[in-house]
């Protein structure tokens, strides 16, 4: 949904963009991981994603960033559809490996339940 922009920014997201344009917005702290704030064109430096963003992907082993579109394509080709919605999905999953260290630790940069928030 995020890659295809199936989900759309809401009136609240657009209001933040309006505030930015008027010089009234200093920073947005959000717990949302969907990245809808950016559909409005809001400056990335103004948004703090407390729980990360699914639009940013990297290896948890070596830190290598992976382009979001590349990751989405790998998910479509390598991850089994457990809900049987996508007839083109593979019947068996295979690991998504890091192009740098070859470890299967590539995932969106989000804080999962039970994990600590980043120190930054």
């Amino acid at each position: 949904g995020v890659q295809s922009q199936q989900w759309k920014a809401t009136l609240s997201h657009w209001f933040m963009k309006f505030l930015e344009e008027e010089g009234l917005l200093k920073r947005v702290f959000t717990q949302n991981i969907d990245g809808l704030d950016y559909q409005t064109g809001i400056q990335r430096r103004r948004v703090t994603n407390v729980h990360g963003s699914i639009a940013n992907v990297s290896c948890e082993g070596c830190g290598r960033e992976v382009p979001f579109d590349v990751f989405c394509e790998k998910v479509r080709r390598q991850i089994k559809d457990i809900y049987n919605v996508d007839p083109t999905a593979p019947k068996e999953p295979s690991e998504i490996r890091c192009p740098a260290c070859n470890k299967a630790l590539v995932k969106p940069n989000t804080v999962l339940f039970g994990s600590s928030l980043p120190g930054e």
Side-chain angles (χ1 to χ4, degrees):
V2 171
Q3 184 187 30
S4 64
Q5 292 194 356
Q6 180 178 350
W7 303 315
K8 300 291 181 190
T10 66
L11 185 58
S12 296
H13 294 106
W14 287 104
F15 182 65
M16 289 184 287
K17 176 62 176 171
F18 168 77
L19 291 174
E20 180 186 42
E21 290 172 348
E22 295 297 312
L24 300 171
L25 182 73
K26 301 296 180 204
R27 179 153 313 277
V28 175
F29 293 91
T30 179
Q31 294 186 58
N32 296 335
I33 63 170
D34 54 27
L36 294 180
D37 308 283
Y38 305 118
Q39 283 185 7
T40 65
I42 195 169
Q43 295 177 48
R44 289 187 177 268
R45 67 182 176 85
R46 298 230 187 262
V47 180
T48 298
N49 295 295
V50 178
H51 291 277
S53 171
I54 59 175
N56 298 317
V57 180
S58 65
C59 174
E60 288 192 319
C62 71
R64 168 84 174 263
E65 291 185 13
V66 176
F68 182 63
D69 290 339
V70 169
F71 178 74
C72 289
E73 182 58 32
K74 288 182 179 288
V75 168
R76 277 194 279 293
R77 286 188 289 112
Q78 295 176 236
I79 304 301
K80 178 180 177 178
D81 175 11
I82 61 172
Y83 298 109
N84 296 317
V85 175
D86 183 359
T88 65
K91 299 298 178 213
E92 294 300 321
S94 61
E95 297 172 330
I96 297 175
R97 296 193 161 274
C98 175
C101 71
N102 202 36
K103 293 181 181 172
L105 297 174
V106 177
K107 70 174 242 348
N109 296 348
T110 57
V111 177
L112 300 176
F113 184 77
S115 299
S116 298
L117 293 173
E120 303 176 355

